[in-house]
Amino acid sequence: YSVSTTDDGNTNYPWYASGGATSSARTQILYLQPEIGQAGTIDKIWFSKPGDSQYYDNVTISLGHTASATLSTSAWEGGLTQVFGPERVTLPASSGWYVIDVQNKFDYDNSNNLVIDIRWNGCQGSTRTSDYESATNRFAYANDYQASSPSSVAGRVLNLKLDMNTKSDAGAAYVFFGWSDFDSSAID
């Protein structure tokens, strides 16, 4: 299953290293239920990025359901389930898609919207960008992975793919967000 949208540019978050190697950040991205369109178990998350290799330490990724249609600076979305980390993530040198295999599978219900929370603390020392699509108030971030609330909300969502095992089928389905000439036959 695929949802294709346009590539509107790239953003520094979630990999913004404002203080070099001692940087940290937290980002939440909201994907709406109609964009996903099916229930299933998420076992991989794919992100799109331009080139340049970089590593980030203590990366955690959490997922959760929410009825919220936008994010705000008043509070982070809560009630999330950590599915990855903490561990080092090295972004590949080449541009394109990179995958994160989640360690704890997440059952998406297809009744609510999906929140993805990315945190990291420590990095190789400079900012890397991620490709995004424009979307109203669905991208919240702070330059501190322990921030009690977002410092800003932006009009974008990261280009993203989810590998999902659907409830009605034992096989994997692929849900794509963002531009891509992705060939799903290349995935095992």
Side-chain angles (χ1 to χ4, degrees), residues 34-56:
E35 295 170 331
I36 301 169
Q38 65 184 15
T41 301
I42 297 170
D43 58 8
K44 291 182 184 177
I45 303 171
W46 298 70
F47 297 96
S48 175
K49 69 171 238 4
D52 299 328
S53 180
Q54 169 85 4
Y55 69 79
Y56 293 85

Side-chain angles (χ1 to χ4, degrees), residues 26-28 60-63 76 80 115-119:
R26 181 175 183 185
T27 304
Q28 284 191 345
T60 62
I61 298 176
S62 299
L63 303 177
W76 298 106
L80 307 180
V115 173
I116 298 178
D117 184 286
I118 303 168
R119 300 182 202 200

Side-chain angles (χ1 to χ4, degrees), residues 15 43-47 59 61 84 89 98-102:
W15 312 115
D43 58 8
K44 291 182 184 177
I45 303 171
W46 298 70
F47 297 96
V59 174
I61 298 176
F84 178 84
V89 169
Y98 64 98
V99 65
I100 293 182
D101 288 309
V102 301

